[in-house]
Amino acid sequence: MGKMEAAGGLAVTTGVDVNTGVERLRNEGVPAKVAAKDATLWGPEAAEEAAIRLGWVDTFVQSKELVAPLAKLRAEFAEQGIDHIALAGMGGSSLAPEVISRTLDLGISILDTTDPGQILAELGEASLRRTAVVVSSKSGSTVETDSQRRAFEAAFKGVGIEDSTKRFVFVTDPGSALEKLATEQGSHLFLADANVGGRYSALTAFGLVPTALAGADIAELIDQAEEFATSITSEDDNPAVVLGAVIAAKPTITIADDGTGVVGLGDWAEQLIAESLGKDGKGTLPVVLEGPAAAGARGADRVYATVGGSSTGLPTGSALAMPDVVVNGPLGAQFLAWELATAYAGYLIGIDPFNQPNVTESKENTNRILTEGLPEERPHAVDGAVEIYGSHADTVAGALGEVLTNADREDAYIAVLAYLDRIDDAALAGLRAELADRTGAPVTWGWGPRFLHSTGQFHKGGRQTGVFVQITGEVGEDLLIPGRDYTFAGLQAAQAAGDRQALESRERPLVRFHLTNRKHGINQLLHAVRELS
């Protein structure tokens, strides 16, 4: 690999020719301007938003104030026999805590779902008696998070925990509805940095509160970021500048853990890159891989990246496929490096990396459907445990073949969107690699509705070459959302339908598979894709 720059505990090594991008960033003083929080950097139209979204550059300094009170609260919970943390949050409120939890093996339950089965699994009496719930929402009005909070409140009462308000820890922006609720009911409250957007919030209260309560040494994460921050304005070794040029170099970046200590960073980086750069009909598409050299890692239209914590920078099984870029360093440094790199890539591509103009569309469709009811739809065909919509084929294999045909053109990508239980239905995620193995197009995977808060922006605002596969399923046991006139299954179905409408309005190819029996339907889909040549 040709180019390596290392500083602040993190190294970026790449064989991709990024000299033009790196020189442009340096010659135009972009690193120094970002460090100075220059809101004009991305153009006049972006300046107003950027002015209130650059706090992430040094937010770790403010976050040091969280260390002591969180240690105190964790000790209080331990005295009460509370040793498990459930996190109700979406997008930027859940993905960074998930990476920290997986990397440090904290065992936090991440509830970024509306699937009733996944939620019900957290509401058993034995689990509830040892659980505290972190409710995270920047706006304080996220429908999924509010619904989960209501479900936990009712469940606590259902097992005889009447005064459950002290079981809740709220993380939100100043002035939000959640701040008001927490204050009124006397729950624990941590206010985040209002000048940091959700996807850049890894090192704010959103990333640190749930993980500290679960046992993470957040002071170490903060120290790692602070050490790396010394490299931001470096004229010589500046890893984030190289990474930014890499992200902007090609239409797609594929990302895999290298097996050396950082787990799941790709899912967080996917949200950061897709939501920041997927707009104005352009942007870089991130694809999260199952591991090094997974199907679809390489291609003329993409950069293949691995991330890890080892100083060697070499992925497990690296003999199989040397990556185009290796990003290696501790987790706190990784967070800041990717945030900087994404902002730099936005500059190079000519995109405002802080707005998300298309995210609300599916939400608005969902709200309308919850009021008016689900649209009437009939399957084109039924094949075993699978209903087929939006296809001319009569079999699952035939419909999947149509997907591959639609993706057989320049700049196309396939996005598989599964509104299911990402724990119990996890086997279905194998469909991504199977499809990637059979096409030259990039293939992404998204669990609904969590992807609506990340790659959903790219699907609507990025390059309009996506080919979509939506997968929904019958619900066994449903769960009423207290104080609402709909259930979790109803909300999940409305979200899926709302997203379909947003994609269909752009005339994007979309096939939907509805599983009338989830287990059998998943087996059918996996078997059918393996039949394709």
Side-chain angles (χ1 to χ4, degrees):
M1 302 184 79
K3 188 176 188 64
M4 175 180 177
E5 295 199 13
L10 184 138
V12 174
T13 309
T14 184
V16 179
D17 182 2
V18 293
N19 288 333
T20 300
V22 168
E23 289 175 7
R24 182 182 168 198
L25 290 170
R26 285 178 168 154
N27 291 342
E28 297 176 16
V30 173
K33 291 177 182 177
V34 171
K37 303 180 184 178
D38 183 347
T40 68
L41 192 55
W42 296 272
E45 292 185 3
E48 183 177 357
E49 182 79 14
I52 57 171
R53 289 291 177 261
L54 284 164
W56 54 271
V57 173
D58 57 5
T59 193
F60 49 82
V61 175
Q62 178 178 324
S63 293
K64 292 178 182 181
E65 299 173 3
L66 295 169
V67 175
L70 285 170
K72 181 174 180 290
L73 181 55
R74 174 172 161 77
E76 291 174 5
F77 280 155
E79 291 177 1
Q80 299 166 35
I82 298 172
D83 62 1
H84 177 66
I85 298 299
L87 172 59
M90 300 297 297
S93 299
S94 65
L95 289 166
E98 183 174 66
V99 177
I100 299 169
S101 177
R102 292 179 65 190
T103 297
L104 302 181
D105 195 23
L106 302 178
I108 298 173
S109 293
I110 308 289
L111 287 169
D112 51 356
T113 184
T114 48
D115 189 89
Q118 194 172 333
I119 294 167
L120 282 165
E122 293 297 318
L123 302 183
E125 180 172 354
S127 174
L128 284 172
R129 293 197 176 280
R130 48 185 286 263
T131 294
V133 182
V134 177
V135 181
S136 288
S137 171
K138 183 175 176 65
S139 68
S141 60
T142 308
V143 64
E144 299 95 338
T145 304
D146 178 69
S147 300
Q148 293 153 4
R149 175 188 64 80
R150 291 167 181 269
F152 270 104
E153 283 182 347
F156 280 133
K157 291 179 181 177
V159 298
I161 303 174
E162 290 297 332
D163 184 15
S164 63
T165 56
K166 293 298 185 182
R167 296 277 187 127
F168 286 93
V169 182
F170 291 86
V171 183
T172 190
D173 273 6
S176 79
L178 275 188
E179 180 188 13
K180 181 180 178 182
L181 177 63
T183 302
E184 288 176 349
Q185 68 182 31
S187 294
H188 305 285
L189 173 65
F190 292 89
L191 295 177
D193 188 339
N195 289 319
V196 179
R199 57 188 177 274
Y200 290 83
S201 66
L203 295 169
T204 72
F206 287 109
L208 301 179
V209 168
T211 51
L213 294 177
D217 183 352
I218 62 169
E220 183 177 16
L221 289 171
I222 293 168
D223 287 346
Q224 292 165 354
E226 189 164 33
E227 181 183 358
F228 182 73
T230 61
S231 73
I232 293 179
T233 57
S234 173
E235 293 293 331
D236 298 315
D237 280 334
N238 194 322
V241 166
V242 176
L243 182 57
V246 165
I247 293 172
K250 293 190 177 182
T252 297
I253 182 169
T254 60
I255 306 171
D257 296 344
D258 71 9
T260 64
V262 173
V263 183
L265 188 75
D267 289 319
W268 171 80
E270 177 187 47
Q271 181 221 210
L272 176 67
I273 294 168
E275 198 168 38
S276 296
L277 304 182
K279 60 199 74 166
D280 301 334
K282 51 189 175 181
T284 302
L285 174 71
V287 176
V288 182
L289 303 173
E290 296 78 11
R298 294 188 172 281
D301 61 343
R302 67 204 73 169
V303 172
Y304 166 37
T306 61
V307 295
S310 167
S311 59
T312 65
L314 295 176
T316 301
S318 59
L320 297 175
M322 179 61 68
D324 298 313
V325 60
V326 172
V327 187
N328 203 261
L331 189 52
Q334 290 273 7
F335 284 138
L336 184 54
W338 285 89
E339 289 168 351
L340 287 162
T342 300
Y344 298 155
Y347 180 83
L348 291 173
I349 298 170
I351 288 175
D352 174 1
F354 304 115
N355 70 349
Q356 47 281 330
N358 306 107
V359 165
T360 60
E361 184 176 352
S362 290
K363 297 178 185 178
E364 291 167 354
N365 290 346
T366 295
N367 291 335
R368 187 184 66 256
I369 291 168
L370 287 171
T371 301
E372 300 176 357
L374 288 168
E376 184 177 345
E377 297 173 283
R378 294 184 179 180
H380 167 76
V382 178
D383 181 6
V386 182
E387 295 177 347
I388 303 169
Y389 298 78
S391 169
H392 299 294
D394 294 329
T395 66
V396 172
L400 288 171
E402 284 185 0
V403 171
L404 296 183
T405 299
N406 285 329
D408 187 19
R409 60 193 193 83
E410 188 177 359
D411 287 342
Y413 68 93
I414 298 172
V416 188
L417 315 172
Y419 285 83
L420 298 169
D421 182 332
R422 70 183 180 96
I423 307 301
D424 280 358
D425 299 328
L428 182 61
L431 189 64
R432 191 217 70 84
E434 297 287 356
L435 286 171
D437 193 44
R438 288 157 178 80
T439 179
V443 182
T444 73
W445 180 270
W447 290 105
R450 77 187 236 158
F451 78 83
L452 292 176
H453 298 258
S454 57
T455 53
Q457 166 60 43
F458 192 101
H459 298 160
K460 286 90 174 176
R463 61 181 187 265
Q464 293 301 293
T465 57
V467 177
F468 297 91
V469 179
Q470 189 185 87
I471 305 172
T472 56
E474 289 297 305
V475 169
E477 183 181 358
D478 201 356
L479 178 64
L480 182 68
I481 300 172
R484 298 286 184 252
D485 57 2
Y486 50 84
T487 66
F488 276 99
L491 175 56
Q492 183 184 47
Q495 289 177 312
D499 197 40
R500 287 198 300 276
Q501 291 178 353
L503 296 171
E504 289 167 349
S505 71
R506 289 166 172 77
E507 299 182 346
R508 303 313 311 145
L510 187 152
V511 173
R512 175 190 171 206
F513 298 110
H514 181 73
L515 314 182
T516 55
N517 178 297
R518 292 197 185 191
K519 181 178 179 181
H520 293 164
I522 289 170
N523 289 337
Q524 257 189 271
L525 281 166
L526 293 173
H527 179 75
V529 74
R530 290 163 187 156
E531 289 181 341
L532 301 177
S533 58

